[in-house]
Coordinates of all heavy atoms in Angstrom, one line a residue:
M1 N 50.7 -14.3 36.9 CA 50.9 -12.8 36.7 C 51.3 -12.3 38.1 O 50.8 -12.7 39.1 CB 49.7 -12.1 36.2 CG 49.9 -10.7 35.8 SD 48.5 -10.0 34.9 CE 48.4 -8.4 35.7
E2 N 52.2 -11.3 38.0 CA 52.6 -10.6 39.3 C 51.4 -9.9 39.8 O 50.4 -9.7 39.2 CB 53.7 -9.5 38.9 CG 55.0 -10.0 38.4 CD 55.8 -8.8 38.1 OE1 56.2 -8.0 39.0 OE2 56.1 -8.6 36.9
K3 N 51.5 -9.5 41.1 CA 50.5 -8.7 41.7 C 50.4 -7.4 41.0 O 51.5 -6.8 40.6 CB 50.7 -8.5 43.2 CG 50.5 -9.7 44.0 CD 50.7 -9.4 45.5 CE 50.5 -10.6 46.3 NZ 50.7 -10.4 47.7
F4 N 49.2 -6.9 40.8 CA 49.0 -5.7 40.0 C 49.8 -4.5 40.6 O 50.4 -3.7 39.9 CB 47.6 -5.3 39.8 CG 47.3 -4.1 39.0 CD1 47.5 -4.2 37.6 CD2 46.8 -3.0 39.5 CE1 47.3 -3.1 36.8 CE2 46.6 -1.9 38.7 CZ 46.8 -1.9 37.4
G5 N 49.7 -4.4 41.9 CA 50.4 -3.3 42.6 C 51.9 -3.3 42.4 O 52.6 -2.3 42.2
D6 N 52.5 -4.5 42.3 CA 53.9 -4.7 42.0 C 54.3 -4.3 40.6 O 55.3 -3.7 40.3 CB 54.4 -6.1 42.3 CG 54.3 -6.5 43.7 OD1 54.3 -5.6 44.6 OD2 54.2 -7.7 44.0
I7 N 53.3 -4.5 39.7 CA 53.6 -4.2 38.3 C 53.6 -2.7 38.1 O 54.5 -2.2 37.3 CB 52.4 -4.8 37.4 CG1 52.6 -6.3 37.3 CG2 52.5 -4.2 36.0 CD1 51.4 -7.0 36.7
I8 N 52.8 -2.0 38.7 CA 52.7 -0.5 38.5 C 53.6 0.3 39.5 O 53.7 1.5 39.3 CB 51.3 0.0 38.5 CG1 50.6 -0.2 39.8 CG2 50.5 -0.6 37.4 CD1 49.3 0.5 40.0
N9 N 54.2 -0.4 40.4 CA 55.0 0.3 41.4 C 56.5 0.3 41.0 O 57.3 -0.4 41.6 CB 54.9 -0.4 42.8 CG 55.6 0.4 43.9 OD1 55.9 1.6 43.7 ND2 55.8 -0.2 45.0
V10 N 56.7 1.0 39.9 CA 58.1 1.1 39.3 C 58.4 2.6 39.0 O 57.5 3.4 39.1 CB 58.2 0.2 38.1 CG1 58.1 -1.3 38.4 CG2 57.2 0.6 37.0
N11 N 59.7 2.8 38.7 CA 60.1 4.2 38.5 C 59.9 4.7 37.1 O 60.4 5.8 36.7 CB 61.6 4.3 38.9 CG 61.8 4.1 40.4 OD1 60.9 4.5 41.2 ND2 62.9 3.5 40.8
T12 N 59.2 3.9 36.3 CA 59.0 4.3 34.9 C 57.5 4.3 34.6 O 56.7 3.6 35.3 CB 59.7 3.4 33.9 OG1 59.2 2.1 34.1 CG2 61.2 3.4 34.1
P13 N 57.0 5.0 33.6 CA 55.6 4.8 33.2 C 55.3 3.3 32.8 O 56.2 2.6 32.3 CB 55.4 5.7 32.0 CG 56.5 6.7 32.1 CD 57.6 6.0 32.8
V14 N 54.1 2.9 33.1 CA 53.7 1.5 32.8 C 52.5 1.5 31.8 O 51.5 2.1 32.2 CB 53.3 0.7 34.1 CG1 52.9 -0.7 33.7 CG2 54.5 0.7 35.1
L15 N 52.7 1.0 30.7 CA 51.7 0.9 29.7 C 51.1 -0.5 29.7 O 51.8 -1.5 29.6 CB 52.2 1.2 28.3 CG 51.2 1.2 27.1 CD1 51.8 2.1 26.0 CD2 50.9 -0.2 26.6
I16 N 49.8 -0.6 30.0 CA 49.1 -1.9 30.1 C 48.1 -2.0 29.0 O 47.2 -1.2 28.9 CB 48.5 -2.1 31.5 CG1 49.5 -2.0 32.6 CG2 47.8 -3.5 31.5 CD1 49.0 -2.1 34.0
C17 N 48.2 -3.1 28.2 CA 47.3 -3.3 27.1 C 46.4 -4.5 27.4 O 46.9 -5.6 27.6 CB 48.1 -3.6 25.8 SG 47.0 -3.9 24.4
F18 N 45.1 -4.3 27.6 CA 44.2 -5.3 27.8 C 43.7 -5.8 26.5 O 43.3 -5.0 25.7 CB 43.0 -4.8 28.7 CG 43.4 -4.6 30.1 CD1 44.0 -3.3 30.5 CD2 43.3 -5.5 31.1 CE1 44.4 -3.1 31.8 CE2 43.7 -5.3 32.4 CZ 44.2 -4.0 32.7
Y19 N 43.7 -7.1 26.3 CA 43.4 -7.7 25.0 C 42.7 -9.1 25.2 O 42.6 -9.6 26.3 CB 44.6 -7.9 24.2 CG 45.5 -9.0 24.6 CD1 45.4 -10.3 23.9 CD2 46.3 -8.9 25.7 CE1 46.2 -11.3 24.4 CE2 47.1 -10.0 26.1 CZ 47.0 -11.2 25.5 OH 47.8 -12.3 25.9
S20 N 42.3 -9.7 24.1 CA 41.8 -11.0 24.1 C 42.2 -11.7 22.8 O 42.2 -11.1 21.7 CB 40.3 -11.1 24.1 OG 39.8 -12.4 24.0
E21 N 42.7 -12.9 22.9 CA 43.2 -13.7 21.7 C 42.1 -13.7 20.6 O 42.4 -13.8 19.5 CB 43.6 -15.1 22.1 CG 44.8 -15.1 23.0 CD 46.1 -14.8 22.3 OE1 46.2 -14.9 21.1 OE2 47.0 -14.3 23.0
G22 N 40.9 -13.7 21.0 CA 39.8 -13.9 20.0 C 39.4 -12.6 19.3 O 38.5 -12.6 18.4
I23 N 39.9 -11.5 19.7 CA 39.6 -10.2 19.1 C 40.7 -9.7 18.2 O 41.8 -9.4 18.7 CB 39.3 -9.2 20.2 CG1 38.3 -9.7 21.3 CG2 38.9 -7.8 19.6 CD1 36.9 -9.9 20.8
E24 N 40.5 -9.7 16.9 CA 41.5 -9.5 16.0 C 42.2 -8.1 16.2 O 43.4 -8.0 16.1 CB 41.0 -9.6 14.5 CG 42.1 -9.5 13.5 CD 41.6 -9.8 12.1 OE1 40.7 -10.5 11.9 OE2 42.3 -9.2 11.2
V25 N 41.4 -7.1 16.4 CA 42.0 -5.7 16.6 C 42.9 -5.7 17.8 O 43.9 -4.9 17.8 CB 40.9 -4.6 16.6 CG1 40.1 -4.7 17.9 CG2 41.5 -3.3 16.5
S26 N 42.6 -6.5 18.8 CA 43.5 -6.6 20.0 C 44.9 -7.1 19.5 O 45.9 -6.6 20.0 CB 43.0 -7.6 21.0 OG 41.8 -7.1 21.6
L27 N 44.9 -8.0 18.6 CA 46.2 -8.6 18.1 C 47.0 -7.6 17.3 O 48.2 -7.7 17.3 CB 45.9 -9.9 17.4 CG 45.2 -11.0 18.2 CD1 44.9 -12.2 17.3 CD2 46.0 -11.4 19.4
H28 N 46.3 -6.7 16.7 CA 47.0 -5.6 15.9 C 47.8 -4.7 16.8 O 48.8 -4.1 16.3 CB 46.0 -4.8 15.1 CG 45.4 -5.6 14.0 ND1 46.1 -6.2 13.0 CD2 44.1 -5.8 13.7 CE1 45.3 -6.8 12.1 NE2 44.0 -6.6 12.5
M29 N 47.5 -4.7 18.1 CA 48.3 -3.9 19.0 C 49.7 -4.4 19.2 O 50.6 -3.6 19.6 CB 47.5 -3.8 20.4 CG 46.3 -2.9 20.4 SD 46.6 -1.2 20.0 CE 47.7 -0.7 21.3
N30 N 49.9 -5.7 18.9 CA 51.3 -6.3 19.1 C 52.4 -5.5 18.4 O 53.4 -5.2 19.0 CB 51.3 -7.7 18.7 CG 50.5 -8.6 19.6 OD1 50.3 -8.3 20.8 ND2 50.1 -9.8 19.1
A31 N 52.1 -5.1 17.2 CA 53.1 -4.3 16.4 C 53.3 -3.0 17.0 O 54.4 -2.5 17.1 CB 52.7 -4.2 15.0
V32 N 52.2 -2.4 17.5 CA 52.3 -1.0 18.1 C 53.1 -1.1 19.4 O 54.0 -0.3 19.6 CB 50.9 -0.5 18.4 CG1 51.0 0.8 19.2 CG2 50.1 -0.3 17.1
L33 N 52.9 -2.1 20.2 CA 53.6 -2.2 21.5 C 55.1 -2.5 21.2 O 55.9 -2.0 21.9 CB 53.0 -3.4 22.3 CG 51.5 -3.2 22.7 CD1 51.0 -4.4 23.5 CD2 51.3 -1.9 23.5
R34 N 55.4 -3.3 20.2 CA 56.8 -3.6 19.9 C 57.5 -2.3 19.4 O 58.6 -2.0 19.8 CB 56.9 -4.6 18.7 CG 56.8 -6.0 19.2 CD 57.2 -7.0 18.2 NE 56.4 -7.0 17.0 CZ 55.2 -7.6 16.8 NH1 54.8 -8.4 17.7 NH2 54.6 -7.5 15.7
E35 N 56.8 -1.4 18.7 CA 57.4 -0.2 18.2 C 57.6 0.7 19.4 O 58.7 1.4 19.5 CB 56.4 0.5 17.2 CG 57.0 1.8 16.7 CD 56.1 2.4 15.6 OE1 55.2 1.8 15.2 OE2 56.5 3.6 15.2
V36 N 56.7 0.8 20.4 CA 56.9 1.6 21.6 C 58.1 1.1 22.4 O 58.9 2.0 22.8 CB 55.6 1.6 22.5 CG1 55.8 2.2 23.8 CG2 54.4 2.3 21.7
V37 N 58.2 -0.2 22.5 CA 59.3 -0.7 23.3 C 60.6 -0.4 22.5 O 61.7 -0.1 23.2 CB 59.2 -2.2 23.5 CG1 60.4 -2.9 24.0 CG2 58.0 -2.5 24.5
T38 N 60.6 -0.6 21.2 CA 61.8 -0.3 20.4 C 62.3 1.1 20.6 O 63.5 1.4 20.7 CB 61.6 -0.6 18.9 OG1 61.2 -2.0 18.8 CG2 62.8 -0.4 18.1
I39 N 61.4 2.1 20.6 CA 61.7 3.5 20.7 C 62.1 3.9 22.1 O 63.1 4.6 22.3 CB 60.6 4.3 20.1 CG1 60.4 4.1 18.6 CG2 60.8 5.8 20.4 CD1 59.2 4.7 18.0
L40 N 61.3 3.5 23.1 CA 61.5 3.9 24.5 C 62.4 3.0 25.3 O 62.9 3.4 26.4 CB 60.2 4.2 25.1 CG 59.3 5.3 24.5 CD1 58.0 5.4 25.3 CD2 60.1 6.6 24.5
R41 N 62.6 1.8 24.8 CA 63.4 0.8 25.5 C 63.1 0.7 27.0 O 62.0 0.4 27.3 CB 64.9 1.1 25.3 CG 65.2 1.1 23.8 CD 66.7 1.0 23.6 NE 67.0 1.1 22.2 CZ 67.0 0.1 21.3 NH1 66.7 -1.1 21.7 NH2 67.3 0.3 20.0
D42 N 64.1 0.9 27.9 CA 63.9 0.7 29.3 C 63.3 1.9 30.0 O 63.1 1.9 31.2 CB 65.2 0.3 30.0 CG 66.2 1.3 29.9 OD1 66.1 2.3 29.1 OD2 67.3 1.2 30.5
R43 N 62.8 2.9 29.3 CA 62.2 4.1 29.9 C 60.7 3.9 30.2 O 60.1 4.7 30.7 CB 62.4 5.3 29.1 CG 63.9 5.7 29.0 CD 64.1 7.0 28.2 NE 63.7 6.8 26.9 CZ 63.4 7.9 26.1 NH1 63.5 9.1 26.5 NH2 63.0 7.7 24.8
V44 N 60.2 2.7 29.7 CA 58.8 2.4 29.9 C 58.7 0.9 30.1 O 59.5 0.1 29.6 CB 57.9 2.9 28.7 CG1 58.3 2.1 27.4 CG2 56.5 2.8 29.0
K45 N 57.7 0.5 30.9 CA 57.4 -0.9 31.1 C 56.1 -1.2 30.3 O 55.1 -0.5 30.5 CB 57.2 -1.2 32.6 CG 56.9 -2.6 32.9 CD 56.9 -2.8 34.4 CE 56.6 -4.3 34.8 NZ 56.6 -4.4 36.2
V46 N 56.1 -2.2 29.5 CA 54.9 -2.6 28.7 C 54.4 -3.9 29.1 O 55.2 -4.9 29.2 CB 55.2 -2.5 27.2 CG1 54.0 -3.0 26.4 CG2 55.6 -1.1 26.7
V47 N 53.1 -4.0 29.5 CA 52.6 -5.3 30.0 C 51.3 -5.6 29.2 O 50.5 -4.7 29.0 CB 52.2 -5.2 31.5 CG1 51.6 -6.5 32.0 CG2 53.4 -4.8 32.3
K48 N 51.2 -6.8 28.7 CA 49.9 -7.2 28.0 C 49.1 -8.1 29.0 O 49.7 -9.0 29.7 CB 50.2 -8.1 26.8 CG 50.8 -7.2 25.7 CD 51.2 -8.1 24.5 CE 50.2 -9.0 24.0 NZ 50.5 -9.8 22.9
V49 N 47.8 -7.8 29.1 CA 47.0 -8.6 30.0 C 45.8 -9.2 29.2 O 45.0 -8.4 28.6 CB 46.4 -7.6 31.1 CG1 45.5 -8.4 32.0 CG2 47.6 -7.0 31.9
D50 N 45.7 -10.5 29.2 CA 44.6 -11.2 28.6 C 43.4 -11.2 29.5 O 43.5 -11.7 30.7 CB 45.1 -12.6 28.3 CG 44.0 -13.4 27.6 OD1 42.8 -13.1 27.6 OD2 44.4 -14.4 26.9
I51 N 42.4 -10.5 29.1 CA 41.2 -10.4 30.0 C 40.6 -11.7 30.4 O 40.0 -11.8 31.5 CB 40.1 -9.5 29.4 CG1 39.5 -10.1 28.1 CG2 40.6 -8.1 29.2 CD1 38.2 -9.5 27.8
N52 N 40.8 -12.7 29.6 CA 40.2 -14.0 29.9 C 41.0 -14.7 31.0 O 40.4 -15.6 31.7 CB 40.2 -14.9 28.6 CG 39.3 -14.3 27.6 OD1 38.2 -13.9 27.8 ND2 39.8 -14.2 26.4
K53 N 42.2 -14.4 31.2 CA 43.0 -15.0 32.3 C 43.1 -14.1 33.5 O 43.7 -14.5 34.5 CB 44.4 -15.2 31.7 CG 44.5 -16.3 30.6 CD 45.9 -16.5 30.1 CE 45.9 -17.5 28.9 NZ 47.2 -17.6 28.3
N54 N 42.6 -12.9 33.4 CA 42.7 -11.9 34.5 C 41.3 -11.2 34.6 O 41.3 -9.9 34.5 CB 43.8 -10.9 34.2 CG 45.1 -11.5 34.1 OD1 45.7 -11.8 35.1 ND2 45.6 -11.8 32.9
K55 N 40.3 -11.9 34.9 CA 38.9 -11.4 34.9 C 38.7 -10.4 36.0 O 38.0 -9.4 35.9 CB 37.9 -12.5 35.0 CG 37.9 -13.3 33.7 CD 36.9 -14.5 33.7 CE 37.0 -15.2 32.3 NZ 36.1 -16.3 32.2
E56 N 39.3 -10.7 37.2 CA 39.1 -9.8 38.4 C 39.7 -8.4 38.1 O 39.1 -7.4 38.4 CB 39.6 -10.4 39.6 CG 38.8 -11.5 40.2 CD 39.4 -12.1 41.5 OE1 39.9 -11.3 42.3 OE2 39.3 -13.3 41.7
L57 N 40.9 -8.4 37.6 CA 41.6 -7.1 37.3 C 40.8 -6.4 36.2 O 40.6 -5.2 36.3 CB 43.0 -7.4 36.9 CG 43.8 -6.1 36.5 CD1 43.9 -5.1 37.6 CD2 45.2 -6.5 36.0
S58 N 40.4 -7.1 35.2 CA 39.6 -6.5 34.1 C 38.3 -5.9 34.6 O 38.0 -4.8 34.2 CB 39.3 -7.5 33.0 OG 40.5 -8.0 32.5
K59 N 37.7 -6.6 35.5 CA 36.4 -6.0 36.1 C 36.7 -4.8 37.0 O 36.0 -3.8 36.9 CB 35.7 -7.1 36.9 CG 34.4 -6.7 37.5 CD 33.7 -7.9 38.2 CE 32.4 -7.4 38.8 NZ 31.7 -8.5 39.5
A60 N 37.8 -4.9 37.8 CA 38.1 -3.8 38.7 C 38.4 -2.5 37.9 O 38.1 -1.4 38.4 CB 39.3 -4.2 39.6
L61 N 39.1 -2.7 36.7 CA 39.4 -1.5 35.9 C 38.4 -1.2 34.9 O 38.6 -0.3 34.0 CB 40.8 -1.7 35.3 CG 42.0 -1.8 36.3 CD1 43.3 -2.2 35.6 CD2 42.1 -0.4 36.9
K62 N 37.2 -1.9 34.9 CA 36.1 -1.6 34.1 C 36.5 -1.7 32.6 O 36.2 -0.8 31.8 CB 35.4 -0.3 34.4 CG 34.9 -0.3 35.8 CD 34.3 1.0 36.2 CE 33.8 0.9 37.6 NZ 33.7 2.1 38.3
I63 N 37.1 -2.8 32.2 CA 37.5 -3.0 30.8 C 36.3 -3.5 30.1 O 35.8 -4.6 30.4 CB 38.7 -4.0 30.7 CG1 39.9 -3.5 31.6 CG2 39.1 -4.2 29.3 CD1 40.5 -2.2 31.2
S64 N 35.8 -2.7 29.1 CA 34.6 -3.2 28.4 C 34.8 -3.1 26.9 O 34.1 -3.7 26.1 CB 33.4 -2.3 28.7 OG 33.7 -0.9 28.4
V65 N 35.9 -2.5 26.4 CA 36.2 -2.4 25.0 C 37.6 -2.9 24.9 O 38.5 -2.7 25.7 CB 36.2 -0.9 24.6 CG1 36.7 -0.8 23.1 CG2 34.8 -0.3 24.7
L66 N 37.8 -3.7 23.8 CA 39.2 -4.3 23.5 C 39.7 -3.8 22.2 O 38.9 -3.7 21.2 CB 39.1 -5.8 23.5 CG 38.8 -6.4 24.9 CD1 38.7 -7.9 24.8 CD2 39.8 -6.0 25.9
P67 N 40.9 -3.5 22.1 CA 41.9 -3.4 23.3 C 41.6 -2.1 24.1 O 41.1 -1.2 23.6 CB 43.2 -3.3 22.6 CG 43.0 -2.7 21.3 CD 41.6 -3.2 20.9
T68 N 42.0 -2.2 25.3 CA 42.1 -1.0 26.2 C 43.5 -0.8 26.6 O 44.1 -1.8 27.1 CB 41.1 -1.1 27.4 OG1 39.8 -1.1 26.9 CG2 41.3 0.1 28.3
V69 N 44.0 0.4 26.5 CA 45.4 0.7 26.9 C 45.3 1.7 28.1 O 44.6 2.7 28.0 CB 46.2 1.3 25.7 CG1 47.6 1.6 26.2 CG2 46.2 0.3 24.6
I70 N 46.0 1.4 29.1 CA 46.0 2.2 30.3 C 47.5 2.5 30.6 O 48.3 1.6 30.6 CB 45.3 1.6 31.5 CG1 43.9 1.3 31.2 CG2 45.4 2.5 32.7 CD1 43.1 0.6 32.3
I71 N 47.8 3.8 30.9 CA 49.1 4.2 31.3 C 49.1 4.6 32.8 O 48.3 5.4 33.2 CB 49.7 5.3 30.5 CG1 49.8 4.8 29.0 CG2 51.1 5.7 31.0 CD1 50.1 5.9 28.0
F72 N 50.0 4.0 33.6 CA 50.2 4.4 35.0 C 51.5 5.0 35.1 O 52.5 4.7 34.5 CB 50.1 3.1 35.9 CG 48.8 2.5 36.1 CD1 48.3 1.6 35.1 CD2 48.0 2.9 37.1 CE1 47.0 1.1 35.3 CE2 46.7 2.4 37.3 CZ 46.2 1.5 36.4
N73 N 51.6 6.0 36.0 CA 52.9 6.6 36.4 C 52.8 6.9 37.9 O 51.8 7.4 38.4 CB 53.1 7.9 35.6 CG 54.5 8.4 35.8 OD1 55.4 7.7 35.7 ND2 54.7 9.7 36.0
N74 N 53.8 6.4 38.6 CA 53.9 6.6 40.1 C 52.6 6.0 40.7 O 52.0 6.6 41.6 CB 54.0 8.0 40.5 CG 55.4 8.6 40.1 OD1 56.4 7.9 40.1 ND2 55.4 9.8 39.6
M75 N 52.2 4.8 40.2 CA 51.0 4.1 40.7 C 49.7 4.8 40.4 O 48.6 4.3 40.9 CB 51.2 3.7 42.1 CG 52.3 2.7 42.4 SD 52.4 2.1 44.0 CE 51.0 1.0 44.0
N76 N 49.7 5.9 39.6 CA 48.4 6.6 39.3 C 48.1 6.4 37.9 O 48.9 6.5 37.0 CB 48.6 8.1 39.6 CG 48.8 8.4 41.0 OD1 48.1 7.9 41.9 ND2 49.9 9.1 41.3
L77 N 46.8 6.1 37.6 CA 46.3 6.0 36.3 C 46.4 7.5 35.7 O 45.7 8.4 36.2 CB 44.9 5.5 36.2 CG 44.3 5.1 34.9 CD1 43.2 4.1 35.1 CD2 43.8 6.3 34.1
I78 N 47.1 7.6 34.6 CA 47.3 8.9 34.0 C 46.7 9.1 32.6 O 46.5 10.2 32.1 CB 48.8 9.3 33.9 CG1 49.6 8.3 33.1 CG2 49.3 9.5 35.3 CD1 51.0 8.7 32.8
W79 N 46.4 7.9 32.0 CA 45.8 8.0 30.6 C 45.1 6.6 30.3 O 45.6 5.6 30.7 CB 46.8 8.3 29.6 CG 46.3 8.5 28.2 CD1 45.8 9.6 27.7 CD2 46.2 7.5 27.2 NE1 45.4 9.4 26.4 CE2 45.6 8.1 26.0 CE3 46.5 6.1 27.1 CZ2 45.4 7.4 24.9 CZ3 46.3 5.5 25.9 CH2 45.7 6.1 24.8
R80 N 44.0 6.7 29.6 CA 43.3 5.5 29.2 C 42.7 5.7 27.8 O 42.2 6.7 27.5 CB 42.1 5.3 30.2 CG 41.3 4.1 29.9 CD 40.1 4.0 30.9 NE 39.3 2.8 30.6 CZ 39.1 1.8 31.4 NH1 39.6 1.9 32.6 NH2 38.3 0.8 31.1
G81 N 42.9 4.7 26.9 CA 42.4 4.7 25.6 C 41.7 3.4 25.3 O 42.2 2.4 25.5
E82 N 40.5 3.5 24.7 CA 39.8 2.3 24.4 C 39.7 2.2 22.9 O 39.6 3.2 22.1 CB 38.3 2.4 24.9 CG 38.3 2.4 26.5 CD 36.9 2.5 27.0 OE1 36.0 3.0 26.4 OE2 36.8 2.1 28.2
G83 N 39.9 0.9 22.4 CA 40.0 0.7 21.0 C 41.4 0.8 20.5 O 42.4 1.0 21.3
F84 N 41.7 0.6 19.3 CA 43.0 0.6 18.7 C 43.7 1.9 18.9 O 43.1 3.0 18.6 CB 43.0 0.2 17.2 CG 44.4 0.1 16.6 CD1 45.1 -1.0 16.8 CD2 44.8 1.2 15.9 CE1 46.4 -1.0 16.2 CE2 46.1 1.2 15.4 CZ 46.9 0.1 15.5
Q85 N 44.9 1.9 19.4 CA 45.7 3.2 19.6 C 47.0 3.0 18.8 O 47.7 2.0 18.9 CB 46.0 3.4 21.0 CG 44.8 3.4 22.0 CD 43.9 4.6 21.7 OE1 44.4 5.7 21.5 NE2 42.6 4.3 21.8
D86 N 47.3 4.0 18.0 CA 48.6 3.8 17.2 C 49.8 4.3 18.1 O 49.6 4.9 19.1 CB 48.5 4.6 15.9 CG 48.4 6.1 16.0 OD1 48.8 6.7 17.0 OD2 47.9 6.7 15.0
S87 N 51.0 4.0 17.6 CA 52.2 4.3 18.4 C 52.4 5.8 18.6 O 52.9 6.2 19.6 CB 53.4 3.7 17.7 OG 53.6 4.2 16.4
E88 N 51.9 6.6 17.6 CA 52.1 8.0 17.8 C 51.3 8.6 19.0 O 51.9 9.4 19.8 CB 51.6 8.7 16.5 CG 51.8 10.2 16.5 CD 51.4 10.8 15.2 OE1 51.7 10.3 14.1 OE2 50.7 11.9 15.2
V89 N 50.1 8.1 19.2 CA 49.3 8.5 20.3 C 50.0 8.0 21.6 O 50.1 8.8 22.6 CB 47.9 8.0 20.2 CG1 47.1 8.2 21.5 CG2 47.2 8.6 19.1
L90 N 50.4 6.8 21.7 CA 51.0 6.2 22.9 C 52.3 6.9 23.2 O 52.5 7.2 24.4 CB 51.2 4.7 22.7 CG 49.9 3.9 22.5 CD1 50.2 2.4 22.4 CD2 48.9 4.1 23.7
L91 N 53.1 7.1 22.2 CA 54.4 7.8 22.5 C 54.2 9.2 23.0 O 54.9 9.7 23.9 CB 55.3 7.8 21.2 CG 55.8 6.4 20.8 CD1 56.4 6.4 19.4 CD2 56.8 5.9 21.8
M92 N 53.2 9.9 22.4 CA 52.9 11.3 22.9 C 52.5 11.3 24.3 O 53.0 12.1 25.1 CB 51.8 11.9 22.0 CG 51.5 13.3 22.4 SD 50.1 14.0 21.4 CE 48.8 13.1 22.0
E93 N 51.7 10.4 24.7 CA 51.2 10.3 26.1 C 52.4 9.9 27.0 O 52.5 10.5 28.1 CB 50.0 9.4 26.2 CG 48.8 9.8 25.5 CD 48.3 11.2 26.0 OE1 48.4 11.5 27.2 OE2 47.7 11.9 25.2
L94 N 53.1 8.9 26.6 CA 54.2 8.4 27.5 C 55.3 9.5 27.6 O 55.9 9.7 28.7 CB 54.8 7.1 26.9 CG 53.9 5.9 27.1 CD1 54.4 4.8 26.2 CD2 53.9 5.4 28.5
N95 N 55.6 10.2 26.6 CA 56.7 11.2 26.6 C 56.4 12.4 27.6 O 57.3 13.0 28.1 CB 57.0 11.8 25.2 CG 57.9 10.8 24.5 OD1 58.9 10.3 25.0 ND2 57.6 10.6 23.2
K96 N 55.1 12.5 28.0 CA 54.7 13.6 28.9 C 55.3 13.2 30.3 O 55.5 14.1 31.2 CB 53.2 13.7 29.0 CG 52.5 14.2 27.8 CD 51.0 14.2 28.0 CE 50.3 14.7 26.8 NZ 48.9 14.6 26.9
F97 N 55.7 12.0 30.5 CA 56.1 11.5 31.9 C 57.5 11.0 31.9 O 57.9 10.4 32.8 CB 55.1 10.5 32.4 CG 53.7 11.1 32.5 CD1 52.8 10.9 31.5 CD2 53.4 11.9 33.6 CE1 51.6 11.5 31.5 CE2 52.1 12.5 33.7 CZ 51.2 12.3 32.6
L98 N 58.2 11.2 30.8 CA 59.6 10.7 30.7 C 60.6 11.9 31.0 O 60.3 13.0 30.8 CB 59.9 10.1 29.4 CG 59.1 8.8 29.1 CD1 59.4 8.3 27.7 CD2 59.4 7.7 30.1

C-alpha cells in the first residue's frame, strides 16, 4: 500500500473504507463504493483498506467498528461514519467538497 500521506495528499476528496474480509457487512460496502465511483468518477478517490493488512493505520485512526468510512479533503479528516453507509449519505458528504 502507498504511504498514507501520499494517498490523502491529492486535489480531490478521498473516501477510505476500512473493512475486513471476514465481516459480511464490510463486503456489502463494495456495491456502494462502486456506485459512488460511477457517479463521481475522477472527482473523488476511493480506497479500500483491509484492517488485517494495515493494522498500524487502523490503530492510528482508531478503527473499532467495521466498516468505517472516512473522508479526507486537503489532507484533513472531514467526515467519519461507522457501520454500513449507503451511497446517498456518502454522496451528500462528498458533494460538500466538490
Side-chain angles (χ1 to χ4, degrees):
M1 186 169 141
E2 296 176 64
K3 289 184 180 179
F4 185 69
D6 294 338
I7 291 172
I8 64 171
N9 189 16
V10 293
N11 294 325
T12 60
V14 180
L15 183 154
I16 302 176
C17 180
F18 290 85
Y19 75 100
S20 174
E21 292 290 335
I23 309 293
E24 187 173 332
V25 71
S26 289
L27 301 177
H28 292 304
M29 286 299 298
N30 289 337
V32 172
L33 298 176
R34 279 192 299 274
E35 184 175 352
V36 169
V37 169
T38 299
I39 293 169
L40 297 179
R41 303 198 182 274
D42 62 348
R43 295 185 297 160
V44 65
K45 181 176 182 178
V46 175
V47 179
K48 289 175 51 180
V49 176
D50 184 337
I51 63 159
N52 297 313
K53 296 178 182 173
N54 298 279
K55 292 180 181 183
E56 286 184 34
L57 177 59
S58 300
K59 184 177 179 182
L61 292 173
K62 299 179 178 155
I63 305 299
S64 60
V65 175
L66 294 177
T68 292
V69 179
I70 300 177
I71 300 173
F72 286 86
N73 192 44
N74 296 321
M75 296 188 69
N76 295 309
L77 191 154
I78 57 171
W79 186 84
R80 178 183 181 119
E82 296 181 335
F84 182 82
Q85 305 294 321
D86 65 25
S87 60
E88 185 176 315
V89 169
L90 298 179
L91 290 167
M92 181 182 70
E93 293 301 327
L94 287 164
N95 278 318
K96 293 177 183 177
F97 300 94
L98 295 176

